Amino acid sequence: MEILDKLKILADAAKYDVSCSSSGSSRKNTKGGIGNSHISGICHSWSDDGRCISLLKILFTNYCIYNCKYCVNKVTNDVPRAAFTPDELAKLTISFYRRNYIEGLFLSSGIINNPNYTMELLLHTVKKLRLDYNFNGYIHLKAIPGANIEIIEEAGRFADRMSVNIELPSDKGLKLLAPQKNMNSIFTPMGQIDSKIIENKYALQRYRSANKFVPAGQSTQLIVGATDDEDFTILNLSESLYNKYHLKRVYFSAYVPVSKHPNLPDISTPPLLREHRLYQADWLLRFYGFTSSELLDKNSPNFDIDFDPKCNWALRNLHLFPVEINKADYEMLIRIPGIGIKSAKKILAARRFGPLTYDNLKKIGAVLKRARFFITCQGKYYGEVGIDENRIKKSLLMDSSKQNNNKKQGEQLSIFSLYPSLAPVENHLIEIGEDFK
Amino acid sequence: MIYYIYDGSFEGLLTSIYEAYYRKDNPLKILSINNYQRELLVEYIHIETVPEKAEKVYNSIRKKISVKTLQNVFYVYLSEFDDIGTLIYQYLRYGWKIGRNVDLHISDDRVSTIHNIRRKVTREIHFMLGLLRFKELKNNIYYAEYEPDYNITALIAPHFIERLSDQNWVIHDIKRGIGVLYNQKEWVVKDINLESDLEFSKDEIFYQRLWIKYFDSIAIKNRINPKLQKSNMPMKYWKYLVEK
């Protein structure tokens, strides 16, 4: 089979894995080698679905012994099958990299023969890239559940990030759609990689020459909408993954109907808005100091489609508002709808040199359309409607319907969460030196 | 009313700022000779570039304000916007008054204007680290052409020197006719004038086809969203993309 056909089949089969991040690693180039990684990641293109392309995201093979009902590669599916050789894949990666098409490789695979055999093939490929081709770009590698820990550990020494996909957020869902898997078989490699990462951290503190193990950490993916699991279940699970296994990211993938089965929901379009709300909530967990039980509970286990999770939280906690912009501490500032991490930091910095006015806030980049209902500036309230749940809701909805009419539907769905996270770019830019004078 | 005119170079701009202080002219504007129009009732003073004077200003920004401010000034200069000379002059005057914390005074217009322009330049740099496309020529040189809004070629070059250090390459800014040439050891910024057509290596078209195939295969058909694609990747950058 021609490389071109293999590429088509195996990229096509890999695309439902949403992670494409190339951030979190700062691997340096070696002498005579090729590549390095950029701590905040770099997007190299955006595909027609609007998602960032950063890594060559591809399966080693789409042959698979499993029959997970939600998966396009399940053994009973009648699709063309292909497999790369480690050499073909390494050469392809390098050739793309030299042309600046990609930031590195994201390698996953269907299970061929058995988990160990598959993991060996992946290991062989990354070793070839790192050792034979001196490749120092980003590598994201799947750990195959059920493979021996020794093989996974060795692979971790060559990868920047590893991930094990949970896919279905509860045991019940797994039984229904992927009866050959169970939660335990997924958490085992996750736990092993995690303890290895922690061990490696101590080793690096003591011996600076120690080899790095999975420096960009672990991630995983949960499918949203293939089972009847509620947002609360999904968010609780991701919270515990962050706490217990120190994951860097939990990705959510709106279920795309790839095949029909009585156990699968019958939908025509993926639940994109729900996915978006979960990402917003995920951000609140990771950067804004929220806990999942503040955002949702048993009585309201799903997110409101009309309001983002932070707005929703604020509307249910109006007794905390309005907040005086010139007095509130950082923790409270970032809880105000319409004020993000960046704006909050700028507010703190600017406050040192005098009180802020409503106009100043605009310049700082706060979204006043939302924030104005929840704040005062030097004692003055600009929300007009007062601290009243229904009246605020009404105004917010009016604003967003105005916006939708202008922009047509669907555009508010910025999938910002699929970027390689943009850490402060400025830190990594070149200092002005003699050359530029 | 006094306007200063400098020769368009970074040293020229810094020399003008030097003179503005030492001659106590208090010029209302500092303009580049490349873009200004004569107005009535204005006295125009042409400033001659003196590298030593420019260096004094350069070091003074570094020491008395901060390296970050120095970077801001240089990035804003590279934006090539109209009237950046005046904006930089006002920003620096404020900077020398306030000292190293000047960049925290974001509610001041002089500071926030500079920050906004710098953000635009930084954003384009970050875009180009990803969107630049190299093509392999017959003589084993990788050639990339592009048309950035701002004059960022010298700022993106170090990234590729680190990353593609074992490769010969050229980054060519078509719009300004300049480029960076790198030969695995050294790099230079030069005027580039292509006289003949470039000849690609025999593999080049093959890999371009592979990339296009990959680009098409990786999109999820149920999620096609051209608006999102365009807002993430502005169309002005599509011209030199292999896949578009």
Side-chain angles (χ1 to χ4, degrees):
Chain A
M1 195 188 277
E2 293 254 346
I3 293 282
L4 191 73
D5 300 316
K6 288 190 183 179
L7 182 74
K8 181 183 176 336
I9 293 169
L10 294 167
D12 203 62
K15 68 186 169 197
Y16 299 105
D17 218 310
V18 291
S19 161
C20 196
S21 158
S22 57
S23 60
S25 181
S26 48
R27 191 181 291 273
K28 296 260 183 307
N29 202 351
T30 48
K31 201 166 165 15
I34 167 174
N36 59 357
S37 51
H38 190 288
I39 186 74
S40 44
I42 296 174
C43 288
H44 285 256
S45 194
W46 280 265
S47 55
D48 291 342
D49 52 19
R51 299 187 305 160
C52 145
I53 301 177
S54 181
L55 305 170
L56 170 59
K57 179 164 40 179
I58 201 145
L59 298 192
F60 188 87
T61 176
N62 65 340
Y63 286 106
C64 193
I65 56 173
Y66 290 135
N67 200 22
C68 310
K69 299 188 178 60
Y70 56 85
C71 181
V72 66
N73 302 316
K74 62 181 175 181
V75 62
T76 52
N77 224 13
D78 182 22
V79 290
R81 307 272 169 173
F84 278 117
T85 66
D87 214 38
E88 284 169 346
L89 206 45
K91 211 171 152 200
L92 184 64
T93 306
I94 296 286
S95 303
F96 276 9
Y97 198 85
R98 290 205 180 280
R99 289 167 174 76
N100 204 39
Y101 297 165
I102 52 168
E103 204 51 25
L105 177 66
F106 177 175
L107 186 56
S108 177
S109 184
I111 313 301
I112 187 167
N113 288 349
N114 58 56
N116 276 339
Y117 182 81
T118 313
M119 196 67 220
E120 291 270 12
L121 282 171
L122 301 188
L123 170 64
H124 192 59
T125 309
V126 291
K127 263 174 107 166
K128 193 169 246 342
L129 268 170
R130 288 283 193 238
L131 303 177
D132 296 354
Y133 287 86
N134 291 318
F135 179 68
N136 298 303
Y138 197 91
I139 295 181
H140 179 158
L141 193 65
K142 282 269 148 191
I144 306 291
N148 283 346
I149 180 65
E150 290 79 23
I151 316 174
I152 293 180
E153 255 188 52
E154 189 178 359
R157 290 207 294 274
F158 298 101
D160 293 282
R161 169 165 288 181
M162 286 188 92
S163 58
V164 192
N165 279 2
I166 296 175
E167 304 292 14
L168 300 174
S170 64
D171 244 329
K172 199 180 86 200
L174 276 172
K175 278 204 188 88
L176 204 60
L177 298 177
Q180 288 150 301
K181 293 183 184 165
N182 61 60
M183 279 298 199
N184 213 15
S185 70
I186 298 166
F187 287 136
T188 306
M190 206 179 260
Q192 287 165 331
I193 295 172
D194 183 48
S195 51
K196 199 69 198 161
I197 290 176
I198 295 171
E199 202 179 290
N200 181 246
K201 246 182 220 152
Y202 287 114
L204 282 170
Q205 279 168 5
R206 249 176 296 162
Y207 318 104
R208 292 189 63 193
S209 59
N211 281 326
K212 283 187 180 164
F213 183 86
V214 194
Q218 286 195 87
S219 64
T220 191
Q221 163 170 306
L222 297 169
I223 299 179
V224 178
T227 53
D228 55 7
D229 295 298
E230 290 160 331
D231 290 347
F232 190 41
T233 313
I234 297 175
L235 204 64
N236 258 332
L237 175 60
S238 32
E239 186 174 47
S240 63
L241 290 169
Y242 287 129
N243 293 338
K244 192 165 173 206
Y245 297 110
H246 315 101
L247 292 200
K248 281 281 173 346
R249 284 295 298 273
V250 175
Y251 289 93
F252 305 108
S253 169
Y255 170 67
V256 179
V258 286
S259 56
K260 286 216 179 307
H261 188 276
N263 289 353
L264 283 170
D266 188 17
I267 52 170
S268 55
T269 50
L272 293 178
L273 189 53
R274 188 173 169 208
E275 179 195 276
H276 183 57
R277 289 279 178 259
L278 278 164
Y279 271 122
Q280 289 178 318
D282 176 70
W283 240 252
L284 295 181
L285 295 186
R286 290 189 297 139
F287 302 116
Y288 290 77
F290 281 89
T291 59
S292 63
S293 52
E294 281 179 288
L295 299 171
L296 293 171
D297 53 49
K298 283 216 169 70
N299 300 323
S300 48
N302 286 305
F303 285 113
D304 195 323
I305 290 303
D306 290 326
F307 303 104
D308 67 77
K310 201 206 246 181
C311 231
N312 217 357
W313 171 84
L315 287 167
R316 283 189 285 117
N317 291 281
L318 280 178
H319 60 280
L320 300 171
F321 297 98
V323 169
E324 170 56 46
I325 285 294
N326 287 296
K327 292 209 177 100
D329 59 13
Y330 176 74
E331 283 71 24
M332 194 58 214
L333 282 176
I334 55 176
R335 288 187 167 231
I336 302 169
I339 292 183
I341 300 285
K342 269 193 176 168
S343 316
K345 285 189 174 152
K346 283 188 184 168
I347 288 169
L348 286 186
R351 243 164 40 177
R352 290 166 53 190
F353 306 101
L356 287 174
T357 63
Y358 192 65
D359 247 12
N360 289 154
L361 280 185
K362 215 178 273 175
K363 256 185 235 155
I364 277 172
V367 184
L368 292 173
K369 199 168 63 188
R370 280 202 294 283
R372 66 193 171 109
F373 301 108
F374 304 97
I375 56 168
T376 57
C377 288
Q378 297 172 281
K380 194 158 182 295
Y381 180 71
Y382 293 83
E384 288 156 9
V385 297
I387 301 293
D388 177 284
E389 186 176 342
N390 289 327
R391 287 161 74 185
I392 295 179
K393 273 188 176 169
K394 222 168 117 190
S395 305
L396 283 168
L397 282 177
M398 239 155 62
D399 267 352
S400 72
S401 74
K402 244 188 257 161
Q403 205 183 8
N404 281 352
N405 287 341
N406 292 342
K407 289 190 181 173
K408 281 194 200 139
Q409 226 200 342
E411 219 208 7
Q412 76 274 30
L413 265 188
S414 126
I415 305 187
F416 62 89
S417 36
L418 301 183
Y419 281 50
S421 59
L422 286 177
V425 178
E426 275 134 79
N427 299 346
H428 313 294
L429 291 169
I430 323 90
E431 292 212 351
I432 302 168
E434 296 293 310
D435 298 304
F436 302 129
K437 277 206 279 173
Chain B
M1 221 168 18
I2 294 175
Y3 286 8
Y4 276 6
I5 307 295
Y6 69 101
D7 63 4
S9 69
F10 190 52
E11 288 98 328
L13 173 57
L14 295 186
T15 310
S16 305
I17 289 166
Y18 179 94
E19 300 293 1
Y21 267 80
Y22 286 90
R23 296 187 194 175
K24 298 198 169 68
D25 277 340
N26 203 11
L28 196 65
K29 289 188 176 185
I30 298 183
L31 300 169
S32 161
I33 195 156
N34 301 320
N35 52 6
Y36 80 99
Q37 277 147 357
R38 289 209 160 265
E39 295 169 34
L40 288 173
L41 305 175
V42 171
E43 184 190 346
Y44 289 90
I45 300 178
H46 283 262
I47 301 295
E48 192 197 336
T49 302
V50 182
E52 291 75 31
K53 290 178 180 172
E55 203 178 321
K56 274 191 183 149
V57 175
Y58 186 96
N59 288 331
S60 164
I61 300 171
R62 205 190 178 99
K63 281 189 200 122
K64 295 195 175 134
I65 312 175
S66 71
V67 174
K68 188 175 173 216
T69 297
L70 188 58
Q71 287 181 355
N72 287 344
V73 167
F74 189 58
Y75 276 54
V76 170
Y77 164 74
L78 290 176
S79 76
E80 300 179 343
F81 281 128
D82 293 346
D83 215 20
I84 44 158
T86 313
L87 294 175
I88 288 173
Y89 172 55
Q90 285 162 352
Y91 168 63
L92 284 177
R93 277 179 58 151
Y94 190 56
W96 278 308
K97 196 170 122 197
I98 301 290
R100 54 181 305 108
N101 281 336
V102 64
D103 287 303
L104 296 178
H105 289 243
I106 40 186
S107 48
D108 190 285
D109 276 344
R110 289 164 288 195
V111 179
S112 63
T113 312
I114 293 287
H115 285 194
N116 285 339
I117 300 176
R118 159 143 196 188
R119 201 171 304 127
K120 286 182 182 160
V121 178
T122 306
R123 196 172 128 84
E124 184 170 63
I125 290 172
H126 195 73
F127 261 123
M128 283 312 157
L129 298 188
L131 296 178
L132 202 69
R133 294 286 178 267
F134 288 96
K135 295 173 178 167
E136 191 186 18
L137 305 180
K138 257 198 166 147
N139 49 9
N140 201 18
I141 291 172
Y142 285 81
Y143 170 81
E145 50 187 356
Y146 75 142
E147 290 176 46
D149 285 346
Y150 315 122
N151 193 359
I152 56 172
T153 307
L155 294 177
I156 64 169
H159 170 83
F160 292 102
I161 289 162
E162 162 76 15
R163 169 165 293 199
L164 305 174
S165 60
D166 66 338
Q167 213 167 298
N168 301 315
W169 50 254
V170 176
I171 299 173
H172 185 183
D173 177 347
I174 302 267
K175 198 161 135 189
R176 294 173 184 79
I178 59 164
V180 166
L181 291 86
Y182 172 76
N183 67 357
Q184 306 186 34
K185 283 202 270 319
E186 298 156 313
W187 63 292
V188 286
V189 183
K190 270 187 115 161
D191 290 342
I192 296 184
N193 225 331
L194 288 181
E195 274 152 15
S196 55
D197 283 350
L198 299 164
E199 276 191 83
F200 296 123
S201 74
K202 69 175 199 317
D203 285 344
E204 179 54 32
I205 300 302
F206 172 64
Y207 283 111
Q208 288 187 19
R209 273 179 56 214
L210 284 178
W211 176 241
I212 292 166
K213 183 60 88 185
Y214 176 74
F215 183 82
D216 290 338
S217 307
I218 207 69
I220 298 179
K221 303 290 173 284
N222 316 47
R223 301 183 67 141
I224 294 298
N225 191 346
K227 268 196 179 150
L228 181 62
Q229 182 185 35
K230 281 173 199 160
S231 78
N232 281 331
M233 180 168 71
M235 280 180 82
K236 63 182 175 190
Y237 298 134
W238 289 16
K239 187 171 167 192
Y240 294 101
L241 291 178
V242 171
E243 65 270 27
K244 269 293 162 193

